[in-house]
Amino acid sequence: MNNKNTSIFTFKNIFKWILSIMAVLVGMFLFVFIYYAFSAPTVSQENLQSGGSSTIVDSSGKQIASLGDNKRNYVTIDKVPQEMEDAVVSIEDKNFYNEPLGIDPVRIAKSAVNNVTRGTLQGGSTLTQQLVKLTVFSTDTKDQTFKRKMQEAWLAMRVSQKFSKQQILEFYMNKVYLNNGIYGMETGAKYYYGKTLKQLTLPEMAVLAGLPNAPSNYDPYTHPTESKQRRDLVINSMYENNKITKAQANEAINTPIDSGLQPYKKVTNSNNNKRIISDPYIKEAITEVKKKGFDPYRDNLKITVNMDYAAQKRLYNIVNSSSYVQFPDQKMQVGATIVNPNNGKVVAMIGGRNLGDIQFGLDRAVQTTRSNGSTMKPILDYGPAIEYLNWSTYHQVEDTPYTYAGTNIALKDWDEQYEGQMSMRDALVNSRNIPAIRTLSNVGLPQAKKFATSLGVNSDKVKVLSDGIGSEVSSLQGASAYAAFSNGGTYYKPYYVSKIETADGLTHNYSKSGKRVMKKSTAYMITDVLKGVPATYATYANISGLHQAGKTGTTNYADEAIAVNPALSGTAKDSWYNGYTKNYSISVWTGYDTPNESGISSTYQSVAGKIYKAEMSYLASQTNSNPKWKKPSSVEEMMIRKGGSTTPIVASPSASSSTYTKELFVKGHAPSNPYKTSDYTTSSASGSSSNQVTTNNHSSSTSESNDLENDTTTDNTESGTGSNNKQTTDNNETTNSNNSTTINNNGGSTSSNENNGNSSSNGNTNTGNTTGNTGSTGGTTGNNSGSTGTTGGGSTGGTGGTTNGGATTNGSSSGTAQ
């Protein structure tokens, strides 16, 4: 028997099997291809011709902006010079005219091999496929799936069947994005060179033809070297494609990249009021979209942002008019951010005043980091003291003469006075600097920086103790850090974009997971103390009836700056107010872009707090929600005798209410208490159980609204460690008398009595009365603001000789505080 003839492993059989396997694979491929083709998005002449832009909608789905919709001059192909066509085809797809199906099987095969070996699905696209991609698909690498590639090829075939090569090229040349908000080659010719396409030189055409591949990377204004390299690549491709001669190529390559280039022009907004009101927010949202891998200028996206447009509009109107707050002049600037403490969503943001319709200008809410003064104290000083040292709100601290170790630099407050021994509560509410620095010293800088860092504050610049009364922080960081105190100790990284929908129907949803960064006891105790700031200290920010907490912050000038410009004496460089409820956290900065030319007079150092009040009053009336902070089970509340005993002594229920104060302790670190809380409410001493916080001038003060009253529920979980935050100097923080705005929880009108007088440096306060009305749904607010006077102290030699905390330096002001 002949084994060779009977063997199944004959060449003929093997060949049949290979053919069979290939047929099966081809069949499977065709099945998958057809299956995906049926689910491909539709492509029409209308969307092929439309400009590539994205729509931005607010949290309620209302459109607030469209990117690039007014930036395109459409040009028909007969108006495009042949050299321009040759440049585009040579660099993008030299076989364009020889692709009857709109795809290049050879390029796809080569790309497939490359994809398998390198694990990516990029490459192999014809010019027709690129047109399809720009029209209906996302450019995010995460979305470049096998399914997407199959649909892209199918649609390219459909487009090639339906439209001529000249039409396809026309669609492409009018759709491409060329950076700086410019779409289409004709628009690009006018923007970059001040000409029509027909008037361009060869090297100018090559610049435009090279831009669509990476518009921002090849921008001739910002990346001239890369732009020239790309331009020269286009020119060489034209030569290799036999479209120009060697002499033409050499002459074009030797042309400087800026030849014929128009001076850079900042793109202005269209006359779209919503866009102008929302511009700083949109700028940050676009940056976030790009970080997620999308190109909002060419992907035809629908972007949903976390903005509450009504809140954004109110904040815009507050800072751009005199209807709510009186500003000293047109030059004073504002940076403000509102975040939702419960999820990190950025609700609204203002990047400055009087910005006009400039698109994407300086966003002072994010890009300007200025010393945050005493708003740093809860973040770097007292928060860590409660978290790591289990301090109570009664813990006694010293406001006595203090010199930074190793220096002759004396730290003082704005009034150059010492208040002596006081509770942590009084020290923080009255914003005394020396107790804050002593507290930071007790905690230790490494632990404090850890606490601040976990709250999203860049603590790299926290190097010396003087940073405990101020460091460089943005309003976005400030609002997000204080949000963690509001929500019970969880930090959410702030974000702008909640959803991105691509033209091909893909939806990407985004949210942030919070991270516990401090114990609930720490967050609650800091909040309880900070409720006293608007109630008794910064009364111009008080909103009567609203459960809120807040902190002021002011920075002074260094002696060197005052020596150069004596007019800065007695003024502040920066003025802040950070305030929050359980629903919103707001941080407001006020100051000047050129601070060494103008400072904030004592009269207008309350502007930041008044902006907060005007916006938070509106938010509260619209929210129709005024929740309290509930005391966690890890916090103990006790009535402690006044008198300054280092060891807290529990007051007797029969004692006069004026002799004790309600204080909070971390569970397990409270003094022994022989009494029950109910004993105080049933005794003759039940007249007052709120904390009495005295202001710096020792004048009589109002009682703090205390959410411990009537608390019936407790939170029984407690975990986590602290985090770290950094901010800078403070104090010129006297205040005028009283704001009292009543929040109507049924969404009704808000009535506001704002008593304003002038506080001078000796602490005397005069009070007048004015009444305004705030409408609950966007009505007008009448504010007749009086002035707050505070004479700033001298300067402190902080790092680099800057002023820290409104403190006065004895000795060289250029010394380094430690």
Side-chain angles (χ1 to χ4, degrees):
M1 179 179 291
N2 190 338
N3 292 332
K4 188 177 287 188
N5 292 333
T6 60
S7 173
I8 63 172
F9 296 104
T10 63
F11 175 78
K12 185 176 181 179
N13 287 337
I14 291 174
F15 183 69
K16 287 181 179 179
W17 291 341
I18 292 174
L19 288 178
S20 299
I21 292 171
M22 290 181 63
V24 171
L25 291 175
V26 170
M28 291 175 62
F29 176 83
L30 289 174
F31 175 80
V32 172
F33 182 79
I34 293 171
Y35 176 77
Y36 285 151
F38 276 110
S39 61
T42 57
V43 176
S44 64
Q45 181 171 343
E46 181 181 7
N47 57 16
L48 287 169
Q49 284 183 302
S50 67
S53 63
S54 296
T55 299
I56 299 178
V57 301
D58 71 359
S59 57
S60 66
K62 296 177 182 177
Q63 181 173 326
I64 55 176
S66 181
L67 306 181
D69 55 344
N70 295 321
K71 299 286 186 286
R72 189 175 64 142
N73 299 107
Y74 196 93
V75 60
T76 55
I77 198 66
D78 60 297
K79 299 293 193 302
V80 177
Q82 187 61 48
E83 271 191 335
M84 188 74 242
E85 290 186 38
D86 294 340
V88 170
V89 171
S90 296
I91 192 63
E92 295 294 347
D93 182 9
K94 66 180 181 179
N95 296 317
F96 172 67
Y97 294 107
N98 300 315
E99 297 161 349
L101 297 178
I103 59 175
D104 186 340
V106 175
R107 290 178 69 182
I108 291 177
K110 288 181 179 178
S111 177
V113 173
N114 184 58
N115 297 155
V116 171
T117 56
R118 299 191 181 184
T120 174
L121 284 170
Q122 303 217 11
S125 295
T126 64
L127 192 147
T128 308
Q129 286 176 276
Q130 291 180 54
L131 173 63
V132 169
K133 188 187 304 182
L134 290 172
T135 304
V136 295
F137 286 116
S138 161
T139 59
D140 186 359
T141 53
K142 296 190 297 294
D143 295 332
Q144 293 179 15
T145 61
F146 181 75
K147 173 184 177 180
R148 224 278 315 263
K149 284 291 183 182
M150 293 301 97
Q151 291 178 334
E152 183 183 291
W154 165 253
L155 291 176
M157 294 168 62
R158 294 290 305 274
V159 169
S160 290
Q161 289 176 341
K162 195 170 183 179
F163 302 99
S164 69
K165 292 296 183 182
Q166 288 297 92
Q167 286 177 301
I168 292 171
L169 190 58
E170 177 182 311
F171 297 154
Y172 175 84
M173 294 181 70
N174 282 283
K175 186 175 287 289
V176 289
Y177 179 60
L178 303 178
N179 211 36
N180 295 305
I182 303 301
Y183 290 90
M185 296 295 182
E186 181 73 9
T187 314
K190 292 182 178 179
Y191 176 80
Y192 287 105
Y193 298 106
K195 304 175 182 178
T196 64
L197 281 177
K198 286 186 174 182
Q199 296 171 325
L200 294 180
T201 64
L202 173 60
E204 291 168 350
M205 291 181 188
V207 169
L208 295 186
L211 273 170
N213 181 261
S216 59
N217 293 341
Y218 298 134
D219 187 321
Y221 294 118
T222 56
H223 298 92
T225 301
E226 292 81 357
S227 180
K228 185 180 187 306
Q229 291 171 349
R230 179 67 177 172
R231 181 201 69 179
D232 294 350
L233 180 62
V234 174
I235 293 168
N236 285 324
S237 297
M238 293 178 72
Y239 171 69
E240 292 170 1
N241 204 25
N242 298 316
K243 299 302 180 182
I244 58 174
T245 65
K246 185 65 174 176
Q248 286 177 301
N250 289 337
E251 181 182 355
I253 287 173
N254 290 327
T255 302
I257 191 64
D258 59 354
S259 176
L261 194 65
Q262 295 286 292
Y264 173 73
K265 301 178 291 292
K266 205 166 193 176
V267 178
T268 58
N269 281 325
S270 62
N271 199 15
N272 181 331
N273 207 38
K274 285 186 177 180
R275 174 64 186 267
I276 294 171
I277 289 172
S278 309
D279 189 71
Y281 192 110
I282 292 171
K283 178 183 179 181
E284 304 308 322
I286 288 173
T287 299
E288 192 167 284
V289 170
K290 288 181 176 179
K291 287 180 179 179
K292 296 180 184 302
F294 298 94
D295 187 337
Y297 290 101
R298 67 181 184 187
D299 285 359
N300 297 291
L301 308 171
K302 181 180 179 182
I303 303 165
T304 302
V305 295
N306 295 320
M307 177 194 297
D308 176 340
Y309 178 72
Q312 177 74 26
K313 183 177 180 181
R314 174 55 65 99
L315 188 57
Y316 178 89
N317 289 337
I318 289 169
V319 305
N320 284 287
S321 74
S322 57
S323 300
Y324 307 88
V325 176
Q326 296 297 318
F327 292 90
D329 51 49
Q330 294 297 305
K331 291 184 178 180
M332 176 183 261
Q333 280 299 342
V334 174
T337 304
I338 307 172
V339 300
N340 185 325
N342 305 303
N343 49 37
K345 292 181 177 181
V346 180
V347 175
M349 172 176 284
I350 286 295
R353 298 177 61 227
N354 306 314
L355 301 182
D357 63 351
I358 296 299
Q359 183 176 351
F360 298 160
L362 175 64
D363 184 354
R364 295 164 185 81
V366 173
Q367 293 173 280
T368 301
T369 52
R370 298 279 282 264
S371 173
N372 65 334
S374 283
T375 62
M376 184 58 116
K377 292 174 182 176
I379 296 169
L380 199 62
D381 308 333
Y382 296 112
I386 297 173
E387 180 75 10
Y388 302 125
L389 305 180
N390 294 302
W391 279 19
S392 69
T393 59
Y394 175 80
H395 187 93
Q396 297 295 291
V397 292
E398 295 289 332
D399 186 9
T400 53
Y402 179 88
T403 301
Y404 288 106
T407 75
N408 62 348
I409 300 173
L411 174 63
K412 292 183 181 179
D413 280 289
W414 64 270
D415 57 0
E416 299 190 19
Q417 300 295 316
Y418 303 107
E419 299 292 329
Q421 182 175 302
M422 63 178 62
S423 68
M424 185 192 83
R425 181 187 294 276
D426 286 353
L428 178 53
V429 169
N430 293 324
S431 208
R432 305 302 292 175
N433 287 338
I434 294 172
I437 296 302
R438 290 186 186 277
T439 299
L440 176 57
S441 180
N442 284 330
V443 173
L445 221 62
Q447 283 286 79
K449 289 176 67 172
K450 173 185 172 185
F451 190 84
T453 298
S454 70
L455 287 174
V457 172
N458 181 3
S459 64
D460 290 343
K461 296 179 182 178
V462 175
K463 297 181 175 126
V464 292
L465 287 179
S466 59
D467 293 323
I469 49 178
S471 185
E472 293 183 4
V473 177
S474 69
S475 69
L476 177 68
Q477 292 171 320
S480 301
Y482 273 59
F485 294 125
S486 169
N487 66 37
T490 298
Y491 175 75
Y492 290 91
K493 185 176 180 180
Y495 70 108
Y496 302 86
V497 178
S498 62
K499 184 166 63 175
I500 297 175
E501 298 170 76
T502 65
D504 51 332
L506 296 176
T507 299
H508 301 268
N509 293 295
Y510 303 98
S511 61
K512 295 291 183 181
S513 297
K515 180 180 180 182
R516 176 159 293 284
V517 295
M518 70 183 85
K519 300 170 187 173
K520 292 184 177 181
S521 52
T522 302
Y524 182 82
M525 291 168 70
I526 286 290
T527 295
D528 188 72
V529 172
L530 293 184
K531 286 188 294 184
V533 173
T536 65
Y537 186 74
T539 51
Y540 50 79
N542 189 46
I543 304 171
S544 181
L546 183 68
H547 299 293
Q548 62 172 337
K551 185 71 193 77
T552 54
T554 310
T555 67
N556 296 333
Y557 286 96
D559 286 344
E560 292 84 353
I562 295 174
V564 174
N565 182 5
L568 299 177
S569 179
T571 67
K573 186 176 182 180
D574 307 281
S575 183
W576 293 78
Y577 192 85
N578 288 6
Y580 59 94
T581 64
K582 283 183 70 66
N583 295 322
Y584 298 99
S585 177
I586 302 178
S587 177
V588 182
W589 165 83
T590 57
Y592 291 88
D593 287 339
T594 53
N596 288 340
E597 293 181 10
S598 302
I600 310 171
S601 70
S602 57
T603 301
Y604 292 98
Q605 289 167 22
S606 60
V607 167
K610 291 177 179 179
I611 293 171
Y612 159 83
K613 176 183 178 179
E615 180 71 9
M616 187 64 90
S617 297
Y618 171 78
L619 291 170
S621 67
Q622 299 302 301
T623 306
N624 195 26
S625 171
N626 187 18
K628 293 181 179 181
W629 286 280
K630 298 299 181 181
K631 181 171 66 67
S633 60
S634 53
V635 173
E636 295 187 60
E637 164 199 324
M638 292 187 180
M639 305 306 177
I640 303 300
R641 285 188 200 172
K642 295 180 180 179
S645 171
T646 301
T647 301
I649 301 173
V650 179
S652 166
S654 61
S656 168
S657 62
S658 63
T659 64
Y660 64 81
T661 177
K662 181 185 292 184
E663 300 293 355
L664 303 178
F665 298 82
V666 178
K667 190 171 185 177
H669 298 272
S672 176
N673 186 5
Y675 311 109
K676 298 178 181 178
T677 302
S678 58
D679 294 340
Y680 295 90
T681 60
T682 57
S683 72
S684 61
S686 62
S688 171
S689 60
S690 63
N691 297 301
Q692 301 294 323
V693 181
T694 58
T695 59
N696 282 340
N697 56 25
H698 296 291
S699 63
S700 60
S701 60
T702 58
S703 296
E704 176 188 353
S705 171
N706 199 310
D707 287 345
L708 292 176
E709 307 278 356
N710 303 318
D711 282 350
T712 56
T713 62
T714 60
D715 191 324
N716 293 316
T717 59
E718 177 75 79
S719 63
T721 58
S723 76
N724 160 342
N725 232 312
K726 155 170 193 183
Q727 275 125 305
T728 350
T729 70
D730 184 34
N731 256 353
N732 279 338
E733 297 179 46
T734 25
T735 59
N736 41 2
S737 55
N738 253 330
N739 285 323
S740 112
T741 301
T742 303
I743 300 300
N744 185 326
N745 289 326
N746 294 321
S749 63
T750 304
S751 110
S752 164
N753 284 327
E754 186 170 299
N755 303 323
N756 298 294
N758 296 319
S759 297
S760 64
S761 60
N762 64 11
N764 295 325
T765 304
N766 298 317
T767 309
N769 291 304
T770 341
T771 302
N773 294 314
T774 303
S776 63
T777 55
T780 60
T781 299
N783 283 314
N784 195 347
S785 300
S787 59
T788 300
T790 301
T791 302
S795 63
T796 274
T799 304
T802 58
T803 300
N804 287 294
T808 299
T809 303
N810 292 336
S812 171
S813 62
S814 62
T816 301
Q818 296 182 356

